[in-house]
């Protein structure tokens, strides 16, 4: 088990637990936090929600075990209608419909469609407005803010909600007396400062590969685009590759799969899911990526692939993955083992990167010998193979230069 270092100090989000009557943990509400750890300060709802989702699945935190609990996420109208927020396994999430939502026919249809697809909805800050009654059949949980909607004034209506089979959450529970009263009224779940204040979650944010994600998103609009084209686009950006592998590793994706190659990752994630994640990555992009480091990693990956094509073509995709991920620690300024444990890599690729084992490890070692100009080690390679290795590395450099030009 790798200890998380002090580098995991970015402000990711806040979480507030939701408890059962027994005060056992039921799940967490995830809350946006920007620069201010104590307050949300949301100016752009779409950005805030997208940032929480991307930090949750692509960022690196100590939340892995907690994510196996259901979590609650606030959702804005535009994201509800766009479907961008649904790359997440429905068994892990409750989607909160915010108070003040305009209940247009299009919005209600969107809720119906996603409910039928297995997603569960929560009506937040319900104040017994008749306008929302048409939405109740598609909702699993109703949250009542007991400060602004005192439950003693609505006991009959609360019983009506219970009779419909809805789960009730008392939120803003501030003391034992309110907890006991809501318990007697039949509330199922409880949230508030009396139980626990929001806890700040820190970790390491993974900057988004903006231009690559935008290009990928545009390409995915073509219904006839092939898997090989998409694989090539993803492979050309180490950050985007890492992010997609991180998604596959995350408990919220529902795809517990070890991956041998970028192509396999694209196939398992699926083009629809890939499009959704590309949209989220684009929404949360904030900075440019270091192109010089890209060039090194792309050269290394391509050289490993070319060596494999000469030696054992069946390993070519895995060899590219090995080279690409071998320097990911430099890209994110984090310890290598920690990073690699966060993504869905096969054991063969892991062993090649960390232990230089197997054919993949051999390809990687030879590539790095040339990259670092370790002449004493290069001289020990068979002369014919050495000439071929140098040619592969030169071809890989030219290929990487061409890719980086397009990134610029």
């Amino acid at each position: 088990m790798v200890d998380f270092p002090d580098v995991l100090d970015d402000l990711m989000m806040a979480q507030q637990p939701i408890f059962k009557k027994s005060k056992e943990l039921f799940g967490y509400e995830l809350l946006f936090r920007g620069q201010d750890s104590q307050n949300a300060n949301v100016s752009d709802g779409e950005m805030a929600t997208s940032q929480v989702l991307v930090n949750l699945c692509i960022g690196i935190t100590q939340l892995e075990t907690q994510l196996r609990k259901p979590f609650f996420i606030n959702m804005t109208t535009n994201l509800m209608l766009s479907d961008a927020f649904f790359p997440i396994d429905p068994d892990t999430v409750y989607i909160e419909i915010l108070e003040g939502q305009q209940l247009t026919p299009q919005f209600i249809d969107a809720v119906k469609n996603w409910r039928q697809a297995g997603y569960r909805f929560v009506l937040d800050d319900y104040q017994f407005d008749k306008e929302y009654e048409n939405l109740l059949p598609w909702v699993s949980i109703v949250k009542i803010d007991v400060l602004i909607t005192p439950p003693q004034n609505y006991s009959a209506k609360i019983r009506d909600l219970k009779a419909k089979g809805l789960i009730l959450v008392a939120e803003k529970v501030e003391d034992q007396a309110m907890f006991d009263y809501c318990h007697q009224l039949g509330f199922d779940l409880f949230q508030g400062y009396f139980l626990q204040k929001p806890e700040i979650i820190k970790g390491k944010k993974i900057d988004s590969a903006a231009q690559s994600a935008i290009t990928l998103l545009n390409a995915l609009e073509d219904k006839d685009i092939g898997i090989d084209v998409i694989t090539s686009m993803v492979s050309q950006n180490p950050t985007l590759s890492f992010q997609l592998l991180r998604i596959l590793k995350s408990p919220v994706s529902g795809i517990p799969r070890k991956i041998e190659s970028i192509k396999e990752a694209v196939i398992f994630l699926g083009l629809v899911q890939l499009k959704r994640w590309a949209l989220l990555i684009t929404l949360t992009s904030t900075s440019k990526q270091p192109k010089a480091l890209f060039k090194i990693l792309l050269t290394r990956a391509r050289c490993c692939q070319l060596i494999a094509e000469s030696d054992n073509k069946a390993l070519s995709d895995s060899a590219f993955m090995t080279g690409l991920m071998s320097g990911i620690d430099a890209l994110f300024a984090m310890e290598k083992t920690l990073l690699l444990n966060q993504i869905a890599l096969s054991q063969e690729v892991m062993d090649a990167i960390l232990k230089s084992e197997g054919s993949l490890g051999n390809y990687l070692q030879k590539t790095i010998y040339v990259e670092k100009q370790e002449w004493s080690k290069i001289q020990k390679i068979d002369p014919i193979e050495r000439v071929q290795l140098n040619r592969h590395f030169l071809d890989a450099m030219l290929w990487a230069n061409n890719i980086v030009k397009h990134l610029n």
Side-chain angles (χ1 to χ4, degrees), residues 211-273:
Q211 190 57 51
S212 295
I214 293 169
T215 303
L216 178 62
L217 191 60
N218 290 336
L220 288 167
E221 291 296 326
D222 181 357
K223 294 180 181 179
D224 298 322
I225 197 160
I227 289 290
D228 289 337
V229 175
I230 295 301
T231 298
S232 176
M233 295 178 70
V234 173
S235 298
Q236 290 168 13
N237 191 295
T239 302
L240 187 58
S241 299
F242 179 89
Q243 288 170 325
L244 294 178
L245 291 169
R246 179 75 182 116
I247 290 164
L248 289 175
K249 175 76 171 183
S250 171
V252 303
S253 74
I255 313 175
R257 170 78 188 196
K258 297 295 185 182
I259 298 301
E260 298 280 352
S261 67
I262 295 294
K263 183 174 183 177
E264 194 176 355
V266 171
I267 291 170
F268 268 88
L269 197 58
L271 296 185
V272 174
Q273 294 285 63

Side-chain angles (χ1 to χ4, degrees), residues 13 16 28 32 61 63 87 166 191 313 355 360 369 383:
M13 66 190 85
Q16 186 172 26
Y28 291 92
F32 171 76
T61 73
L63 277 174
L166 291 162
Q191 182 180 16
K313 196 167 184 177
K355 303 175 185 178
L360 296 176
Y369 291 162

Side-chain angles (χ1 to χ4, degrees), residues 26-213:
F26 174 78
Y28 291 92
E29 180 176 2
L30 300 182
L31 308 167
F32 171 76
R33 290 293 185 268
Q35 299 300 317
D36 183 351
S37 64
Q38 300 304 316
N39 301 289
N41 295 329
V42 176
S43 59
D44 184 334
E46 276 73 29
M47 184 281 295
T49 295
S50 298
Q51 188 66 65
V52 167
L53 288 171
V54 172
N55 283 349
L56 176 67
C57 294
I58 299 178
I60 298 172
T61 73
Q62 290 172 298
L63 277 174
E64 293 297 322
T65 56
Q66 295 174 1
L67 288 181
R68 285 157 179 80
K69 299 285 184 182
F71 57 91
F72 293 60
I73 293 181
N74 294 330
M75 201 57 57
T76 60
T77 304
N78 289 342
L79 283 175
M80 281 283 297
L81 296 176
S82 74
D83 92 357
F85 67 96
F86 282 104
I88 292 180
D89 181 5
D91 291 335
T92 65
V93 65
Y94 284 95
I95 297 157
E96 293 199 21
I97 299 171
L98 298 174
E99 67 279 10
Q101 171 64 53
Q102 276 194 311
L103 299 182
T104 63
Q106 292 87 350
F107 182 85
I108 292 177
D109 285 343
V111 173
K112 287 180 184 178
N113 290 336
W114 291 117
R115 184 70 188 89
Q116 289 166 354
Y119 291 90
R120 299 165 296 183
F121 288 88
V122 178
L123 196 51
D124 192 27
D125 286 347
Y126 184 57
Q127 297 179 40
F128 303 98
D129 189 327
K130 288 184 179 180
E131 183 185 5
Y132 284 83
E133 290 183 3
N134 290 335
L135 201 58
L136 291 178
W138 309 103
V139 168
S140 302
I141 296 177
V142 172
K143 296 178 79 172
I144 297 173
D145 183 329
V146 298
L147 292 183
I148 62 174
T149 311
Q152 59 269 27
N153 298 342
Y154 298 92
S155 56
K157 291 184 177 181
I158 288 170
R159 285 194 293 271
D160 289 343
L161 291 177
K162 290 289 292 180
K164 295 178 187 291
L166 291 162
I167 297 170
L168 300 187
V169 181
E171 56 177 343
K172 303 288 180 65
V173 176
E174 302 286 294
D175 53 39
Q176 183 71 53
M178 181 58 77
F179 178 87
D180 291 341
Y181 184 73
C182 291
H183 192 300
Q184 292 169 8
L185 275 181
F187 280 84
D188 305 280
L189 302 170
F190 304 84
Q191 182 180 16
Y193 281 14
F194 167 66
L195 296 157
Q196 190 172 322
K197 293 182 179 180
E199 174 188 4
I200 297 302
I201 299 300
K202 290 191 174 183
K204 178 69 176 178
K205 290 182 180 178
I206 303 300
D207 287 338
S208 300
Q211 190 57 51
S212 295

